[in-house]
Amino acid sequence: MDNFKLFCDKYGGAIIGFLVGLALAVLLLCTNLYKLIIGIALIIACVYFGNYIQRNKENLKEKTKKFIDKL
């Protein structure tokens, strides 16, 4: 159970990014090959972005707060 919790803490952002990417890819995929390639690239990008957010939460919160304060 502890291993699963550590796994979720470590890769939670990547898992969520994968699910979002998978959902977006399913919406885009039809029968054409280029759409399949776009779908796979979208999944990979969402996995990377989700993992980046998971690893840099505090830094992103600070940058977002500064950006909103400027507006």
Side-chain angles (χ1 to χ4, degrees):
M1 188 65 174
D2 290 333
N3 290 336
F4 181 71
K5 182 173 171 51
L6 290 174
F7 177 80
C8 287
D9 286 342
K10 189 172 182 181
Y11 298 109
I15 293 169
I16 292 170
F18 172 76
L19 293 175
V20 169
L22 186 62
L24 289 173
V26 167
L27 291 174
L28 292 175
L29 291 178
C30 285
T31 58
N32 297 332
L33 182 60
Y34 75 92
K35 289 184 179 180
L36 176 65
I37 293 170
I38 290 172
I40 292 170
L42 186 62
I43 291 171
I44 292 170
C46 288
V47 167
Y48 176 77
F49 188 67
N51 195 30
Y52 177 79
I53 290 173
Q54 179 76 18
R55 301 241 183 238
N56 299 308
K57 283 182 199 173
E58 297 302 321
N59 194 9
L60 289 173
K61 284 181 187 177
E62 185 177 313
K63 287 181 181 180
T64 306
K65 184 177 179 183
K66 287 181 182 178
F67 177 73
I68 291 173
D69 288 342
K70 286 181 183 179
L71 295 178

